[in-house]
């Protein structure tokens, strides 16, 4: 079951009728704005939120471009309004006959319309299928192998309909360019206005209980079991050794047998999958955000979202040094990095924070400052605008006031 189907108290600000989105598309054109349209299969709170909804929100204050989004079941209706679309972005959209016909019609229009492929994971090159199956914990049964082979091949076919690609980090960018032989650009993931508002509220209300010290793990799913096991023994030792220390896992996780006793006595708490607003509240309520990751080609393709969603509620993160995290985190300054191998470093870092051997307030505020500057929805607006202008071969844009 997709995680989003398990969320209670759903909060989806993108539930906007097709007719209204078309009206906005028309009004933007009438007022002289250029329009970039993002196509996604069906709305969800993961890739769609980061790569479509937040992108459109980043352009709301643009003087030049506006963003809009449409879905797979709207292609036929949308094909009547191609004149109003200046640039098209296909976001993790699997190839189909209908998509192929839609893109062909769009690219045949006067002026030579351009199409961009957007992807946020290493799921576009069949050469990495064995690593993909290993990363998600597959037992490589025939049915699952066939499913992922079709999944990757379909996205690869969509990519070849496009002129360039965009993605979330430089590591994935290099793999894309090698695989597709197309130019690729990086536009990082961001947090949106609603996350910002609730996070500001969480920071004002943030309280640290002197009677309880909570570790947080926010990647609870079967695909992250290997990551969790990297630090499970250290967590077990800490939870057994410190009566006031607890672990909160958001999502689902198969615990090692030796940790089941801790779950039964309340030292390990499970919280179900949350919508993106409630998730910020859950992260704000823990003392440390734990992000252990096995060092693979797939984990190095991941974006900074686990870091910035914790940082904007002033929760300190301890993370494995993947490509993006070792780029953004200065160890001991705005977070902590621990080696990939299980060397006991996690245990020591957690105790450093527990005993306040480090300046917790200074580190958490430094992290918040970095993330508000780099990963706020408006921070990528200029990069999106420049890329859009480049794609329609317009003169260099003037600076905004």
């Amino acid at each position: 079951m997709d995680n989003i189907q398990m969320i209670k108290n759903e909060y989806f600000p993108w539930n906007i009728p097709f007719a209204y989105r078309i009206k906005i598309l028309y009004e933007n054109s009438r007022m002289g704005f250029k329009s970039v349209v993002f196509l996604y299969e069906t709305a969800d709170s993961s890739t769609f939120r980061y790569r479509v909804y937040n992108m459109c929100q980043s352009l709301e204050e643009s003087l030049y471009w506006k963003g809009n989004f449409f879905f797979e079941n709207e292609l036929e209706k949308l094909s009547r309004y191609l004149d109003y679309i200046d640039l098209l972005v296909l976001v993790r959209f699997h190839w189909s006959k209908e998509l192929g016909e839609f893109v062909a019609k769009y690219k045949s229009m006067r002026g030579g319309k351009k199409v961009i492929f957007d992807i946020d994971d290493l799921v576009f090159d069949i050469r990495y299928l064995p690593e993909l199956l290993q990363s998600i914990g597959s037992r490589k049964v025939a049915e699952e192998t066939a499913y992922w082979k079709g999944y990757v091949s379909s996205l690869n076919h969509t990519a070849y309909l496009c002129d360039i690609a965009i993605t979330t980090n430089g590591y994935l960018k290099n793999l894309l360019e090698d695989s597709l032989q197309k130019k690729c650009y990086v536009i990082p993931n961001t947090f949106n206005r609603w996350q910002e508002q609730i996070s500001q509220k969480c920071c004002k209300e943030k309280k640290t209980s002197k009677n309880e010290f909570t570790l947080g793990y926010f990647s609870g799913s079967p695909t992250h079991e290997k990551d969790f096991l990297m630090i499970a023994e250290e967590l077990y030792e800490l939870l057994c050794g410190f009566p006031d220390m607890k672990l909160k896992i958001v999502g689902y996780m198969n615990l090692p047998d030796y940790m089941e006793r801790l779950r039964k006595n309340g030292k390990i708490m499970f919280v179900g999958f949350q919508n993106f607003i409630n998730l910020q509240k859950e992260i704000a309520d823990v003392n440390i955000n734990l992000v252990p990751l096995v060092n693979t080609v797939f984990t190095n393709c991941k974006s900074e979202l686990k870091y910035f969603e914790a940082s904007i509620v002033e929760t300190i993160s301890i993370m494995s040094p993947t490509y993006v995290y070792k780029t953004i985190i200065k160890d001991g300054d705005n977070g902590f990095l621990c080696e990939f191998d299980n060397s006991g470093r996690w245990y020591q870092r957690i105790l450093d924070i527990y005993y306040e051997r480090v300046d917790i307030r200074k580190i958490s505020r430094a992290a918040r400052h970095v993330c508000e500057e780099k990963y706020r929805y408006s921070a990528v607006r200029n990069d999106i605008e420049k890329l859009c202008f480049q794609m329609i071969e317009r003169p260099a844009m003037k600076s905004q006031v």
Side-chain angles (χ1 to χ4, degrees), residues 120-122 168-169 171-172 175 297-303:
D120 59 352
D121 211 346
L122 186 52
T168 53
N169 73 51
Y171 187 93
L172 192 53
L175 295 177
V297 64
F298 279 89
T299 54
N300 281 286
C301 291
K302 299 299 182 182
S303 81

Side-chain angles (χ1 to χ4, degrees), residues 69-337:
F69 55 84
F70 296 92
F71 304 108
E72 185 175 25
N73 64 358
E74 299 171 340
L75 288 179
E76 183 178 355
K77 293 185 291 185
L78 183 61
S79 66
R80 305 166 197 164
Y81 303 94
L82 296 182
D83 285 336
Y84 300 109
I85 303 174
D86 297 288
L87 189 59
L88 188 66
V89 185
L90 307 182
V91 183
R92 200 161 178 158
F93 204 117
H94 293 83
W95 182 89
S96 66
K97 179 175 178 290
E98 292 75 17
L99 177 67
E101 292 173 350
F102 181 92
V103 172
K105 182 177 180 181
Y106 176 74
K107 297 187 81 170
S108 69
M109 297 183 67
R110 183 165 55 92
K113 301 280 189 174
K114 298 296 178 66
V115 182
I116 298 174
F117 179 65
D118 186 296
I119 195 73
D120 59 352
D121 211 346
L122 186 52
V123 286
F124 51 82
D125 191 329
I126 202 70
R127 292 180 297 176
Y128 295 99
L129 182 61
E131 290 88 349
L132 170 61
L133 293 170
Q134 184 177 17
S135 176
I136 64 177
S138 169
R139 296 178 181 177
K140 298 188 179 181
V141 295
E143 295 83 359
E144 192 167 1
T145 301
Y147 168 80
W148 284 108
K149 183 176 181 179
Y151 186 101
V152 172
S153 297
S154 180
L155 286 173
N156 183 267
H157 196 58
T158 295
Y160 279 100
L161 299 176
C162 303
D163 299 284
I164 66 164
I166 56 178
T167 192
T168 53
N169 73 51
Y171 187 93
L172 192 53
K173 168 186 177 291
N174 293 335
L175 295 177
L176 262 171
E177 289 185 333
D178 174 69
S179 175
L180 304 179
Q181 296 298 299
K182 297 177 188 288
K183 186 65 179 175
C184 181
Y185 299 85
V186 173
I187 297 179
N189 282 338
T190 61
F191 58 90
N192 60 46
R193 180 183 296 112
W194 317 121
Q195 285 176 291
E196 180 179 48
Q197 290 177 358
I198 191 62
S199 296
Q200 289 173 347
K201 185 174 185 291
C202 287
C203 286
K204 291 179 181 178
E205 298 174 352
K206 195 174 180 74
K207 297 178 181 178
T208 303
S209 171
K210 294 184 178 180
N211 300 318
E212 191 172 284
F213 189 91
T214 306
L215 309 173
Y217 184 76
F218 299 93
S219 299
S221 72
T223 59
H224 284 283
E225 286 182 8
K226 290 181 180 179
D227 298 323
F228 181 79
L229 287 174
M230 280 179 54
I231 63 170
E233 292 183 2
E234 291 176 79
L235 293 180
Y236 178 77
E237 187 175 349
L238 285 163
L239 294 172
C240 290
F242 295 84
D244 59 339
M245 197 173 290
K246 294 186 176 182
L247 171 65
K248 176 166 68 176
I249 299 175
V250 174
Y252 168 81
M253 180 65 61
N254 282 321
L255 295 173
D257 291 341
Y258 60 83
M259 297 187 89
E260 277 299 320
R261 177 177 60 85
L262 298 178
R263 181 185 63 80
K264 291 177 181 178
N265 66 21
K267 294 280 284 182
I268 298 178
M269 306 164 288
F270 277 91
V271 178
F273 288 108
Q274 302 292 301
N275 64 48
F276 71 95
I277 294 299
N278 288 339
L279 181 60
Q280 293 304 116
K281 299 176 184 178
E282 294 289 346
I283 299 173
D285 285 341
V286 305
N287 297 85
I288 303 176
N289 171 43
L290 301 172
V291 188
L293 293 164
V294 177
N295 188 17
T296 69
V297 64
F298 279 89
T299 54
N300 281 286
C301 291
K302 299 299 182 182
S303 81
E304 304 92 326
L305 67 91
K306 295 294 183 185
Y307 177 66
F308 65 67
E309 289 180 342
S311 297
I312 59 176
V313 292
E314 295 187 2
T315 294
I316 290 180
S317 295
I318 305 178
M319 322 191 92
S320 295
T322 60
Y323 176 85
V324 292
Y325 294 140
K326 68 183 179 182
T327 299
I328 192 67
I329 295 176
K330 295 180 180 179
D331 188 51
D333 180 20
N334 58 358
F336 294 98
L337 297 172

